[in-house]
Amino acid sequence: MPKDFFSVDRTTSLHALEPGAKIHVIGVCGVAMAQLSVALAERGFKVSGSDKEFYEPMKSLLAGSSVATKAGYAAENVPTDAALVVIGNAISYGNPEVDVVEKLGLPYTCFPKLLQETAISGKHSVVVTGTHGKSTTTALIATILRESGKEPSYFVGGIAQGLPNSLEVGSGGFSVVEGDEYDSAFFAKVPKFSFYTPDTVVVNAIEYDHADIYANVEAIEKEFSSLVLGLKPGSTAVCCIDFPRVKSLVAQWRKSAKCKVVTFGRDAEADFVIVGRDSSGMSQRVTVKGPGLGEVTMNLPIVGEYNARNALAALIVSHVVGLDTGKTVSILERFKAVKRRQEVRSQKGGVVLIEDFAHHPTAVRQTVEAVREAFPAARLWAVFEPRSNTSRRKVFQEDYVAAFKGASRVVLKHVTARAIDSGIELIDVAELSKAISASGVPSACLADAQAIRDHLWAEIKPQAGLSEPRDVVFVMSNGSFDGLNEALQADLERLCG
């Protein structure tokens, strides 16, 4: 257990630092930490950082900045005169760099507290939460606010292609950030969103996730209830009741919440309802209706029912904060998706390569369904790496069988054991593959990225000049997948001449 030196109460505020002070970030390549590190460097701080591995897209983001990075954790990475050390939530007590912080008594903090101080304090705070859809919905709202001239602060947990940065400290009166329910640091075992003082909250979904820190879904529900019931009068909670647990909680929240609670989704009982949806390739036409909006139709450049919900949530938030509906719809129709969210990396020779961040069973299922909608006649190859702390656990094994139902073929990568897996019952990927095959979808379980490449190209035969998609390969992982996406893209270029 941590010694008394580490606690939330003993963290140091960024406001206490002198201009140009040294800041060291432990766990710098995390999606959130990398972007905040770059933002701090751009404000004139001398930023250094370390991580156990560097993967895209944050690897390139850091490489293009003035942040000095080191691979691996070591005591000598920490400047002995650091004015502040930011400790990532994946970092454990006993890390050699954490030991230096304690030994030298260096000032420290955690990401969500630092984000609140830099991008949220003093603004109308919009916080996007839920098991799924946080990054895309946050990017949608940030884009709407920015293109409406509001100069918002924002943080998106990924590379938002339509925004100049994924973390921005704007001069306007709004802030919109992705609010994760994962804990904040080893010395702050509370959700990140508990730091963000929201005025408007989006709750997209509540399902069991983060099995490494939550014993059950009820523990997650408790955190969301604390968030919504803690909102002050005049605030708004925008909740998706397509998810049964959210619908049940909304009924409870409305009895005692000080804030206004509004609902959305395809559920006919929602305040704001999706009443029509038609897909065409990598786009969809969505019709919604709700109080103050009337009936609105949007031609969205993002696919899948879940993205229709994400866009509706963004439309509702824009309505809540008083923006023009017509202009908002126009902005939504020009939206550029977050990288690694159904990102088409290449399309040649009748083959489409797509990268996606999906790892939770529901996210995998939604991605499969969306890709099937976009390419109804193609052979769909779902390639999946169970890499996250949730996806590696046996508790979700049966859920994954159903998640791949819409695919034509499934290719799984074996789980690689880690030191932190001691005492944990891991998913049996070979058995999962057999179960998927038994369900009617041919599946293979392979050792590594090279074996997966060999397997795919043994079956898929690109033809130069062929434009109609015959095979769609969508690779799902919350990590680098050992460079598989880049390798497949290079392979396709070579095979098509």
Side-chain angles (χ1 to χ4, degrees):
M1 290 294 292
K3 295 183 180 179
D4 293 340
F5 178 76
F6 290 105
S7 70
V8 174
D9 294 339
R10 296 192 64 175
T11 54
T12 294
S13 171
L14 183 69
H15 304 309
L17 273 61
E18 296 290 334
K22 291 183 180 179
I23 298 176
H24 183 70
V25 182
I26 310 175
V28 73
C29 197
V31 170
M33 296 285 270
Q35 294 175 99
L36 185 59
S37 299
V38 171
L40 291 171
E42 290 174 346
R43 292 178 61 176
F45 292 106
K46 296 177 182 177
V47 183
S48 60
S50 56
D51 212 315
K52 61 183 178 181
E53 65 176 319
F54 288 80
Y55 52 85
E56 299 296 351
M58 295 305 146
K59 178 181 178 180
S60 293
L61 180 72
L62 289 166
S65 74
S66 63
V67 177
T69 59
K70 294 284 188 180
Y73 299 121
E76 56 267 26
N77 291 341
V78 183
T80 56
D81 58 345
L84 187 66
V85 177
V86 187
I87 303 173
N89 72 328
I91 306 304
S92 303
Y93 184 74
N95 177 288
E97 298 187 21
V98 171
D99 290 345
V100 172
V101 174
E102 185 173 39
K103 181 179 178 180
L104 299 181
L106 296 175
Y108 63 88
T109 191
C110 58
F111 169 81
K113 183 173 185 289
L114 195 54
L115 183 65
Q116 199 281 333
E117 293 171 347
T118 56
I120 300 173
S121 180
K123 301 176 184 290
H124 179 108
S125 172
V126 179
V127 180
V128 179
T129 72
T131 313
H132 317 295
K134 292 185 290 294
S135 295
T136 296
T137 306
T138 304
L140 285 162
I141 298 170
T143 301
I144 292 166
L145 290 168
R146 184 173 180 272
E147 295 194 17
S148 296
K150 299 302 181 181
E151 299 185 8
S153 296
Y154 56 82
F155 162 65
V156 180
I159 300 297
Q161 299 185 87
L163 297 169
N165 305 290
S166 293
L167 190 151
E168 182 76 22
V169 180
S171 60
F174 288 97
S175 170
V176 54
V177 302
E178 181 172 325
D180 193 355
E181 70 271 24
Y182 204 80
D183 61 10
S184 303
F186 68 79
F187 54 86
K189 291 295 185 182
V190 294
K192 295 185 184 73
F193 61 53
S194 64
F195 286 88
Y196 296 158
T197 58
D199 299 289
T200 302
V201 164
V202 175
V203 181
N204 260 337
I206 298 177
E207 294 190 301
Y208 187 44
D209 197 4
H210 309 307
D212 52 324
I213 63 170
Y214 289 109
N216 48 50
V217 71
E218 288 77 18
I220 298 174
E221 289 179 337
K222 183 178 178 181
E223 298 293 354
F224 278 92
S225 289
S226 295
L227 175 69
V228 173
L229 297 179
L231 295 176
K232 56 185 179 292
S235 299
T236 305
V238 181
C239 307
C240 183
I241 59 171
D242 288 350
F243 295 88
R245 292 188 178 276
V246 179
K247 188 171 185 177
S248 176
L249 286 169
V250 162
Q252 300 174 33
W253 293 342
R254 280 180 162 160
K255 294 176 183 177
S256 54
K258 304 181 189 70
C259 67
K260 182 178 180 180
V261 178
V262 299
T263 59
F264 72 98
R266 69 176 187 275
D267 190 307
E269 296 180 17
D271 299 314
F272 296 85
V273 187
I274 297 172
V275 295
R277 195 175 67 83
D278 297 298
S279 295
S280 177
M282 293 297 285
S283 63
Q284 60 180 319
R285 183 178 178 87
V286 179
T287 301
V288 301
K289 66 179 181 179
L293 291 180
E295 187 167 289
V296 176
T297 297
M298 305 177 284
N299 294 303
L300 301 173
I302 47 179
V303 298
E305 183 178 79
Y306 65 102
N307 273 325
R309 284 195 295 256
N310 294 339
L312 176 54
L315 180 63
I316 296 167
V317 170
S318 72
H319 177 65
V320 166
V321 301
L323 300 183
D324 178 75
T325 297
K327 186 171 184 178
T328 295
V329 170
S330 177
I331 294 168
L332 288 171
E333 292 182 337
R334 301 191 305 270
F335 177 71
K336 294 181 180 179
V338 177
K339 285 184 74 64
R340 304 190 71 198
R341 271 62 174 185
Q342 293 176 14
E343 179 185 357
V344 178
R345 295 187 62 116
S346 184
Q347 182 169 349
K348 284 190 173 186
V351 179
V352 182
L353 301 179
I354 297 175
E355 181 177 7
D356 200 272
F357 193 73
H359 49 281
H360 185 281
T362 298
V364 169
R365 175 179 56 78
Q366 291 176 338
T367 300
V368 171
E369 291 172 350
V371 175
R372 173 57 73 192
E373 280 187 10
F375 302 96
R379 185 167 54 167
L380 305 187
W381 295 79
V383 183
F384 179 57
E385 177 187 31
R387 179 185 176 278
S388 70
N389 287 331
T390 290
S391 65
R392 293 160 56 80
R393 297 189 178 223
K394 195 174 183 65
V395 64
F396 291 109
Q397 185 147 337
E398 292 185 10
D399 295 330
Y400 280 117
V401 177
F404 289 104
K405 184 177 180 181
S408 305
R409 302 284 189 277
V410 174
V411 182
L412 306 175
K413 179 179 180 291
H414 271 293
V415 168
T416 303
R418 305 169 183 164
I420 61 173
D421 292 331
S422 178
I424 296 171
E425 190 174 12
L426 296 179
I427 190 170
D428 188 326
V429 186
E431 286 301 316
L432 172 59
S433 183
K434 291 178 183 178
I436 293 171
S437 293
S439 75
V441 182
S443 175
C445 177
L446 301 172
D448 53 32
Q450 182 60 56
I452 291 172
R453 289 168 65 192
D454 294 341
H455 178 79
L456 291 172
W457 298 126
E459 296 288 336
I460 301 171
K461 304 300 181 185
Q463 292 184 15
L466 185 64
S467 58
E468 186 69 21
R470 295 193 310 187
D471 288 280
V472 178
V473 180
F474 52 107
V475 179
M476 295 172 285
S477 172
N478 74 329
S480 64
F481 211 137
D482 301 324
L484 179 61
N485 288 286
E486 292 76 15
L488 290 175
Q489 190 169 350
D491 289 341
L492 185 59
E493 292 284 341
R494 174 178 52 81
L495 291 168
C496 287

